[in-house]
Amino acid sequence: MSTVIGTATGTAGEGGPSLPQERRLVTEIPGPRSRELLARKQAAVPPGIGTTLPVFVTHAGGGVVVDADGNSLIDFGSGIAVTGVGNAAPRVVERVRRQVADFTHTCFMVTPYESYVRVAEELNRITPGDHEKRTFLLNSGAEAVENAVKVARHATGRQAVVVFEHGYHGRTLLTMTLTAKNMPYKHGFGPFAPEVYRVPLAYPFRWPTGPENCAEEAAAQVIDKITKEIGAGNVAAVVIEPIAGEGGFIEPAPGFLPAILEFCRRNGIVFVADEVQTGFSRTGDLFACEHEGIVPDIIVTAKGIAGGLPLAAVTGRAEILDRVHVGGLGGTYGGNPLACEAALGVLETIEAEDLTGRARRIGAAMLPRLRALAERNPVIGDVRGRGAMIAVELVVPGTTDPHPTAAAEIAARCHAEGLLVLTAGTYGNVLRFLPPLVIPDHLLEEGLAILEKAVNET
Ligand code: PLZ
């Protein structure tokens, strides 16, 4: 057995891909040191801040997370789709290290710096569409979604925002309103923001007349609702995730997104793609919109953009973004220099290591095994996803009734065996897998074997 890297206090500077790429359990999960820290957390942090797996991390990198007891867990979560390039990715670490010693903050609105401009140039170049674009930077996905709505309202002079069932866009007042699910995101937190309208999503697995009718019928319902209940001429923006993330990795039936986009184009509605979870190679395309050739008017990114440093972006048509008056957009930290350097390191890594191709190969390895698992286990009702954004939806066998307790039970079994998985879904019955794109094959294989065993035993 190799040396234990994670100590009670942690050792500085030993994370990243050079960590031993192995699953290693030296205590039960969570171990005594993590339990001690959990007790402190419970005394110091309100319970509203939940915990998926209470191991306290000291190091992470490649495909593993190392905890305070010296356990090394296989990471199928990437900090919720953030560390696609891996934790403490060398190009990110190197750039941030240099930047933190040069200067840490000036506020880009006060005295600018080049890295922000470079990130904007890069995003303008790599996001879908070859029209003229602008980008501005913020701190979180929610903040970026809010800003996309601000810009769309300003440019159109309209107020209504259309969002979808199963959608997730954040936890601030506006984005919580845009989010579909009551528990835990909205319950007791009202009143919500006005002028937000929710329409159906083309959810193939749950479409009443079958997946083959889903795209066409769902699009017709959306268009009918917008036309009859809101008025297309009142709608500033349609905001949609090209694959619904927190909602359960729902890929809208093929044809749905193009139909909605086309309706937006015809009616002067700003089409906003929320690629906070799907962006930066996660789905096997640099952006999930590319899969169906969708060119959004505005694309919102965050999470995978900066390898774990807080950064988010709004990228959109110059003629929309340029409409806002001088000083109308901003924030103290948006596009912080450390986060910008990290983003440049991420983009270099994606290209140098072909992480888009790597995401496709991860999907190609996972999907057949999960489909075979589903054949043997009727508790798995659906296997879906693209690239390294894969999920299984659990049902009461023989029905399509959601089975959230099975999801929780399988996740708990995986956690106990040292495999970090996340749940999702409007009904809480989806297990989702978001491995770092740099995860070595042997850990991917081992993680799948643990998952298979957990499903078989449930
Ligand atoms: N849009 C599509 O997935 C964040 C939420 C974690 P922030 N998803 C993870 C939690 O429970 O709070 C997300 C997303 C999509 C927007 C957001 C919001 O991004 O960076 O969390 O604000």
Side-chain angles (χ1 to χ4, degrees), residues 228-358:
K228 301 293 182 322
E229 297 175 17
I230 314 165
N234 296 316
V235 179
V238 163
V239 182
I240 188 163
E241 299 159 87
I243 298 178
E246 302 301 309
F249 287 17
I250 305 161
E251 292 178 83
F256 179 74
L257 290 172
I260 302 302
L261 177 65
E262 201 263 330
F263 176 78
C264 288
R265 290 275 191 276
R266 267 194 287 122
N267 291 281
I269 298 168
V270 178
F271 183 100
V272 179
D274 178 344
E275 290 236 24
V276 168
Q277 192 153 163
T278 50
F280 301 98
S281 304
R282 174 56 56 188
T283 64
D285 288 296
L286 194 47
F287 298 100
C289 278
E290 293 167 28
H291 188 70
E292 285 190 275
I294 299 293
V295 175
D297 299 309
I298 293 179
I299 179 167
V300 178
T301 53
K303 288 190 186 279
I305 193 175
L309 275 85
L311 188 70
V314 175
T315 302
R317 292 182 187 279
E319 69 260 28
I320 296 175
L321 268 64
D322 283 351
R323 293 281 270 279
V324 177
H325 46 274
V326 173
L329 303 169
T332 304
Y333 292 117
N336 167 273
L338 302 177
C340 286
E341 288 294 334
L344 296 172
V346 163
L347 295 174
E348 286 164 4
T349 307
I350 286 175
E351 197 176 324
E353 299 184 13
D354 182 26
L355 293 185
T356 308
R358 178 71 194 144

Side-chain angles (χ1 to χ4, degrees), residues 311-440:
L311 188 70
V314 175
T315 302
R317 292 182 187 279
E319 69 260 28
I320 296 175
L321 268 64
D322 283 351
R323 293 281 270 279
V324 177
H325 46 274
V326 173
L329 303 169
T332 304
Y333 292 117
N336 167 273
L338 302 177
C340 286
E341 288 294 334
L344 296 172
V346 163
L347 295 174
E348 286 164 4
T349 307
I350 286 175
E351 197 176 324
E353 299 184 13
D354 182 26
L355 293 185
T356 308
R358 178 71 194 144
R360 286 183 191 229
R361 290 194 293 282
I362 289 172
M366 294 188 85
L367 282 169
R369 273 180 74 165
L370 293 172
R371 290 198 179 113
L373 185 66
E375 302 243 305
R376 298 192 302 271
N377 290 277
V379 74
I380 300 180
D382 196 23
V383 176
R384 58 182 180 245
R386 298 204 299 265
M389 185 170 185
I390 303 290
V392 295
E393 175 157 2
L394 301 166
V395 294
V396 176
T399 74
T400 56
D401 297 348
H403 201 336
T405 51
E409 214 178 292
I410 295 166
R413 285 179 199 274
C414 291
H415 294 169
E417 291 299 317
L419 172 68
L420 170 50
V421 296
L422 306 173
T423 56
T426 298
Y427 313 103
N429 65 327
V430 174
L431 285 168
R432 57 172 158 170
F433 314 116
L434 293 160
L437 307 181
V438 296
I439 191 171

Side-chain angles (χ1 to χ4, degrees), residues 80 139-143 145 168-171 185 241 245-246 274-277 302-303 432:
I80 323 189
N139 302 291
S140 69
E143 195 188 0
V145 172
Y168 182 93
H169 301 288
R171 293 180 183 262
Y185 307 121
E241 299 159 87
E246 302 301 309
D274 178 344
E275 290 236 24
V276 168
Q277 192 153 163
K303 288 190 186 279
R432 57 172 158 170

